[in-house]
Amino acid sequence: MIRAFATRAFLALSLAVPAAHALTLVTEENPPFNYTEQGKVVGLSTEIVVELGKRSGIPLQIQSMPWEQAYVAAQRDKETCIYSTVRLENRERLFSWIGPIATNRWVLIGRSDFAGVKVVEDARKYRVGVVAKDAKIEFLMGKGVTDLREVSEDSLNPPRLVLSRDDPNRIDLWATSAYGARRTAARANVKDLKLVLNLRAVPLYLACGRNASPQTVQALSRAFELATKDGTLKRITDRYAF
């Protein structure tokens, strides 16, 4: 009798609180949010989703691949989510959204003695370093900032800030992401820089495909709420900010 009651109680508890399933997370190479270093996926967003997995008790397998491939896998495969992705209207019904887990904050950075820019339009009279085909180019040109000096990768920009004033390769400002600038500048051995202006904030999310179980999504959502409330996510984010 006692054993039968205990069995029924255990089954009732199991039904009331379903266990979350193991989860595959797919992502792309997009530092500082998610990128591979020494064979392991790391970065700001990666630290956050790993924290959510720990808090929710969900085993995670993280894979980096081309974005198009990851996007398809997140919709097609069971128990699969994608990060870091922008929440767009045409994507809204394709995923269950958790976050924002991070914010891609576009900024202008200059030397520590730079002055003269209070709004983005003030940058029209300066030479601005950008990465070719980057979305920031369209944004800046839309604000009338047209003296844009393009390079193939962002790591080439910090050294150009400290060139002599008569050097044709010199730039006055560097348009980049706040959460990668410190690391990029340090690797280029460039110091004495400062954040001149915040340009735009773009929230980024963890998005779970419709083949992910409701239990998994609920557990991750609850973990996100708690990690936000106790300041853990802010502490992670602050380590990457310029």
Side-chain angles (χ1 to χ4, degrees):
M1 181 76 174
I2 295 176
R3 180 179 298 177
F5 177 80
T7 301
R8 288 196 298 271
F10 174 78
L11 290 173
L13 181 61
S14 298
L15 291 172
V17 187
H21 294 74
L23 191 66
T24 298
L25 300 184
V26 291
T27 189
E28 64 170 341
E29 295 297 304
N30 181 27
F33 301 103
N34 22 267
Y35 62 98
T36 303
E37 192 170 81
Q38 298 181 345
K40 182 180 180 181
V41 182
V42 296
L44 166 57
S45 296
T46 302
E47 286 195 42
I48 289 175
V49 297
V50 167
E51 176 67 22
L52 301 186
K54 289 178 180 178
R55 285 179 178 244
S56 56
I58 301 176
L60 301 179
Q61 180 184 21
I62 304 177
Q63 301 175 3
S64 179
M65 60 188 70
W67 182 254
E68 185 177 6
Q69 182 181 343
Y71 191 75
V72 171
Q75 296 176 71
R76 178 193 63 208
D77 299 342
K78 291 184 178 180
E79 298 303 325
T80 302
C81 305
I82 187 171
Y83 76 99
S84 308
T85 187
V86 179
R87 189 171 184 172
L88 301 175
E89 185 177 354
N90 63 341
R91 297 177 178 176
E92 186 67 31
R93 296 184 180 182
L94 300 177
F95 301 98
S96 296
W97 300 87
I98 298 147
I101 58 171
T103 300
N104 189 2
R105 187 159 54 93
W106 296 351
V107 295
L108 290 178
I109 288 174
R111 292 171 53 151
S112 58
D113 59 353
F114 182 89
V117 171
K118 294 183 179 180
V119 295
V120 64
E121 288 81 5
D122 291 340
R124 292 172 180 172
K125 57 185 177 182
Y126 296 105
R127 294 169 289 186
V128 182
V130 294
V131 175
K133 300 187 182 301
D134 188 84
K136 299 177 194 69
I137 293 175
E138 183 177 349
F139 172 80
L140 289 167
M141 292 188 70
K143 299 293 185 180
V145 181
T146 58
D147 193 355
L148 304 176
R149 308 299 176 94
E150 298 183 15
V151 290
S152 58
E153 57 184 68
D154 213 22
S155 62
L156 300 174
N157 276 315
R160 299 199 295 163
L161 286 167
V162 294
L163 294 174
S164 62
R165 293 189 179 277
D166 58 351
D167 192 311
N169 292 314
R170 175 191 167 92
I171 57 174
D172 304 299
L173 293 166
W174 170 29
T176 188
S177 167
Y179 295 117
R182 187 183 300 278
R183 177 173 175 269
T184 300
R187 288 190 168 190
N189 199 29
V190 177
K191 303 176 181 178
D192 298 324
L193 302 181
K194 71 175 183 180
L195 191 155
V196 173
L197 186 70
N198 284 297
L199 293 175
R200 186 180 185 185
V202 182
L204 302 173
Y205 288 79
L206 171 65
C208 293
R210 292 306 182 184
N211 288 324
S213 67
Q215 300 100 305
T216 295
V217 174
Q218 290 169 8
L220 290 170
S221 297
R222 179 58 177 162
F224 174 78
E225 292 174 3
L226 293 174
T228 300
K229 188 175 182 179
D230 69 17
T232 299
L233 300 192
K234 184 179 185 302
R235 286 192 291 273
I236 294 173
T237 299
D238 287 347
R239 292 205 304 271
Y240 287 82
F242 189 89

